[in-house]
Amino acid sequence: MKIIILLLSLLYTQLFAFSSDVKQAFAVAIYDEKGKGENIQHIKKTNNDYNGTCFTKIYIRGDFFNQKPRVFIGNSLGHYESSKPVFNKKILIGKILIFKHYGVEQGVLKVYFGKKLFDARVYVK
């Protein structure tokens, strides 16, 4: 009986050991291949046109283990490029992830983590 309880407790801890706990995920900036871009934290519509290939910076706060968010601009899915940790007084508080988008026309920039939508407030021209 002890072995069954021990096995069940190990199974239970293993199932939830890899779960993510994302508090926030939102778009910070967008820029084109030449590096020209803008901060999109407090706007509803971009000032510049980002047709073709562009990059987005996404800030994530919380534990997201090995999962990556899905970032869309209209129908264009972003491809993960790189990440940088964000520290506050030597404490890791989040990460900035950079995504590359191909064939962007126009549409709303959406940030999904799992099935949950975290950000969909900026319209990209």
Side-chain angles (χ1 to χ4, degrees), residues 2 4 14-15 18-20 26 28-29 34-35 39 51 54 63 65-66 81 90 93-94 100 113-114 116 120-121:
K2 291 181 184 179
I4 293 172
Q14 288 297 318
L15 288 175
F18 303 116
S19 65
S20 63
F26 54 88
V28 176
K34 298 175 185 171
N39 184 347
N51 294 331
C54 67
D63 298 324
F65 192 59
N66 284 330
E81 289 283 313
K90 298 183 182 180
I93 59 171
K100 187 173 186 177
F113 208 95
K116 187 174 179 183
R121 59 182 163 69

Side-chain angles (χ1 to χ4, degrees), residues 23-120:
K23 307 284 189 234
Q24 288 179 322
F26 54 88
V28 176
I30 185 168
Y31 51 98
D32 59 12
E33 289 179 307
K34 298 175 185 171
K36 181 181 174 190
E38 59 188 292
N39 184 347
I40 57 172
Q41 289 178 329
H42 303 291
I43 62 173
K44 297 284 183 191
K45 190 174 187 179
T46 60
N47 296 324
N48 302 325
D49 292 337
Y50 294 97
N51 294 331
T53 304
C54 67
F55 296 88
T56 54
K57 285 187 181 181
I58 308 298
Y59 173 74
I60 298 178
R61 186 175 69 87
D63 298 324
F64 56 96
F65 192 59
N66 284 330
Q67 297 178 341
K68 300 282 186 273
R70 290 178 296 133
V71 181
F72 291 93
I73 298 177
N75 292 328
S76 173
L77 175 64
H79 301 279
Y80 174 76
E81 289 283 313
S82 63
S83 68
K84 293 189 295 187
V86 178
F87 291 97
N88 184 9
K89 298 179 183 178
K90 298 183 182 180
I91 298 172
L92 180 67
I93 59 171
K95 282 193 175 186
I96 297 279
L97 289 98
I98 298 175
F99 289 87
K100 187 173 186 177
H101 300 268
Y102 299 100
V104 175
E105 292 178 6
Q106 62 182 353
V108 177
L109 192 147
K110 296 179 184 178
V111 179
Y112 288 95
F113 208 95
K115 294 181 181 179
K116 187 174 179 183
L117 176 65
F118 277 90
D119 188 14

